[in-house]
C-alpha cells in the first residue's frame, strides 16, 4: 500500500507541474464505460487522426466492466 501511495503521489506531482495541455488524466472506470470516447480524446491529445476502425478494435479488447484483480487473489 505504501508503494502505491508513493507512486500515486509522484504521478500527481508531475501532473501538478504540467499545464492542462501537457497532461491527460483518464479514470479507469470512465474509460471502460466509454472506450471509443476516451480513445478519441487520447488520439486528439497526442495529435493523431481518429480512425473509426482503430477505435472499434480498441473497444473490442477492453473488458465490459472494470475488473477487480484483488478479488482473484487467494
Amino acid at each position: 500500500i505504501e508503494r502505491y501511495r508513493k507512486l500515486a503521489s509522484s504521478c500527481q506531482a508531475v501532473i501538478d507541474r504540467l499545464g492542462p495541455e501537457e497532461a491527460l488524466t483518464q479514470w479507469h472506470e470512465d474509460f471502460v464505460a466509454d472506450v471509443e470516447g476516451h480513445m478519441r480524446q487520447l488520439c486528439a491529445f497526442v495529435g493523431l487522426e481518429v480512425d473509426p476502425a482503430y477505435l472499434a478494435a480498441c473497444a473490442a479488447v477492453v473488458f465490459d466492466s472494470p475488473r477487480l484483480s484483488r478479488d482473484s487473489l487467494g
Side-chain angles (χ1 to χ4, degrees), residues 26 34-45 48 50 52 55:
Q26 295 187 336
D34 181 16
V35 176
E36 289 190 24
H38 280 80
M39 287 303 299
R40 189 175 285 108
Q41 182 186 29
L42 179 59
C43 287
F45 183 77
L48 296 176
V50 176
L55 296 178

Side-chain angles (χ1 to χ4, degrees), residues 3-69:
R3 182 172 183 258
Y4 175 83
R5 285 185 181 142
K6 286 180 182 179
L7 291 170
S9 179
S10 296
C11 288
Q12 189 61 54
V14 170
I15 291 168
D16 290 345
R17 279 187 261 146
L18 299 174
E21 69 284 349
E22 296 177 294
L24 176 67
T25 300
Q26 295 187 336
W27 298 100
H28 179 247
E29 292 81 2
D30 296 338
F31 183 88
V32 170
D34 181 16
V35 176
E36 289 190 24
H38 280 80
M39 287 303 299
R40 189 175 285 108
Q41 182 186 29
L42 179 59
C43 287
F45 183 77
V46 297
L48 296 176
E49 282 190 39
V50 176
D51 178 355
Y54 174 70
L55 296 178
C58 290
V61 298
V62 174
F63 289 118
D64 292 334
S65 62
R67 301 283 185 218
L68 300 176
S69 57

